Amino acid sequence: MLWLMSTVAPAPRGRALYVTAAAGGLIAAVAGWAVSEIAAAFVGAASSPLFAVGSWVIDLTPPWFKDWVISLFGTGDKIVLFVCLGLVVVALAGAAGILELVRRPFGAILIGAIGLIALVAVMTRADATYWWLLPTVAGTLVGVYVLVMTIDRLRVWMRASQPSRLPGSGASTRRSFLAFSIGVGAVAVVAGVIARSINAGSVAIASARASVRLPAPVKPAPAIPPGSDLRLSGLAAYVTPNSDFYRIDTALQIPAIDPDAWKLTISGMVGEPLTLTFAQLLALPLEEHTITLACVSNEVGGDLVGNATWLGYPVRKLLAKTRPKASADMVLSRSVDGFTAGTPLDVLTDIGTDALIAVGMNGSPLPLEHGFPVRMVVPGLYGYVSATKWLTELTVTRFDRAQGYWTDKGWSVKGPIKTASRIDRPREGASITAGRYAVAGVAWDQHTGIRSVEVRVDNGPWQHARLADTVSVDTWRQWVWEWHAVSGKHTLQVRATNSDGSTQTSVVAPPAPNGASGWHTVDVEVR
Ligand SMILES: Nc1nc2c(c(=O)[nH]1)N[C@H]1C(S)=C(S)[C@@H](COP(=O)(O)O)O[C@H]1N2
Ligand SMILES: [Mo]
């Protein structure tokens, strides 16, 4: 009877065995690839190992060969590349399956080696960050794991179906092998294809972004005075590089918007609704303004704040074209992903407020994660009520008729930025040597400006810090105070006073509902 059961499900032999093992290798490769694509969908499409290896091969291909392929296949050259690459991967994956069966663990080592090559391709891309390691490393680990599990099951099935052995059950070992490999394979193919198509979409948008040529501003931002950046280590730069700029949004997947298909509509309580294409927006006389953006969720001392030079068209001028009704008091801006922000109409129409429909950030088109192709930037208001990224709609309305995404989720209807200051150096818990030390940080009160910053040590008297230059009241300012540090444990505190003369409150408040307050306090050890 036992013998009979094992004949019900004989393991493959000879060539069939190798084909089965090769299929196991392929399933492992597909599983690894799927995981890498899923991870890349979160980390950034360009971190996909498949994409990076493809780009690498394109870069390494000699021009004559490229020309020859293009002459043969025309614009299908990329497809040819991916088909060739695919065949190489299939061959290697199959070999890994067979190797793992006959010479364990060389199959796993082969998959690891493929992963390592992909890792080199990914990390040598121009804008690679350490996060880019994740998709390839996760994919390789999963690939190795699936390979080992699949080939192990195949081996158990082989043993169970050997007549000389006491078979556990040929049928159940076969079921175990088939269920695992077919199950993993099917899930991986579906998930991988979905993730790949998402990644391909955002790669297409990234290349659309790369081909955007921003016009020169009609009104350029004031030159950044050298004295605005003290260039001390640990101190936030006066202008935040795009790659370091904080990112806050509800988007699980960064919206991929083709700028050629983008439109902004302005409607609601207006005399004349308006629709604008990206080309029409770029053709308007654009202005550049340096503005510090801050998130309401920023804790005291936190880093959800950054300063950039934005290129765009004043919201005020765009709204004027639509002639808002006198009874309107709010503009609801909407993103393609459904996010909305409710901004006071009077702030947006104020002649002295440089609120922008922005297309550029520090000299380049908006990065995808910062709202490409178009976002809003309003000095003086927290991002959640003003800085809509991936902007597509402005509705002129009233606060008693509409509300933004975060209102009713525990956040205030209006979000003016609170006066704030932060100690960047020394860091909390730092250990420094006794003697002179430049305590430094940033302070901000967008659209009002900072008049003074004071520091105190161990609850001693407040001491005036020196303020660095700034281009306007719409940005943060660096400050520095020279400390003659003596050994021991010390507590440093900072507070700022805005240009209206009001000093930051010591009352500690959490970010919700309208922004954190309290003095940033840092404990350090001097030795
Ligand atoms: N579409 C969209 N825009 C958005 C958000 C969002 O979740 N979705 N978050 C807002 C918030 S809370 C902040 S603080 C700023 C942050 O902009 P940044 O990510 O470019 O720094 O974007 C704002 N614009
Ligand atoms: Mo925010």
Side-chain angles (χ1 to χ4, degrees), residues 238 240 245-246 289-294 305-308 310 377-381 417 443-444 446 474-477:
Y238 177 66
T240 315
F245 208 93
Y246 81 96
H289 295 278
T290 304
I291 298 165
T292 297
L293 217 64
V305 53
N307 185 38
W310 309 92
V377 175
V378 183
L381 301 182
I417 289 175
W444 61 92
Q446 289 90 311
D474 289 340
T475 80
W476 61 12
R477 286 181 86 162

Side-chain angles (χ1 to χ4, degrees), residues 248 295-297 383-384:
I248 292 286
C295 182
V296 69
S297 300
Y384 82 106

Side-chain angles (χ1 to χ4, degrees), residues 335-379:
S335 155
V336 295
D337 68 355
F339 172 90
T340 52
T343 313
L345 179 62
D346 56 0
V347 172
L348 296 177
T349 53
D350 175 30
I351 184 84
T353 303
D354 297 316
L356 293 176
I357 301 291
V359 294
M361 181 177 184
N362 292 329
S364 53
L366 293 177
L368 304 191
E369 64 273 27
H370 293 294
F372 180 80
V374 181
R375 75 175 304 169
M376 212 155 84
V377 175
V378 183

Side-chain angles (χ1 to χ4, degrees), residues 8-12 16 19-21 23-24 27 149-157 170-187:
V8 171
V19 171
T20 310
I27 285 164
M149 297 302 280
T150 311
I151 302 302
D152 264 1
R153 279 171 165 74
L154 178 58
R155 209 176 272 121
V156 169
W157 178 22
S172 77
T173 56
R174 180 186 68 160
R175 213 180 303 123
S176 161
F177 169 76
L178 291 180
F180 183 82
S181 50
I182 294 175
V184 168
V187 170

Side-chain angles (χ1 to χ4, degrees), residues 30-31 33-35 37-38 185-199:
V30 170
W33 164 75
V35 166
E37 291 293 343
I38 293 167
V187 170
V189 165
V190 172
V193 165
I194 292 173
R196 177 89 284 260
S197 68
I198 289 172
N199 290 336

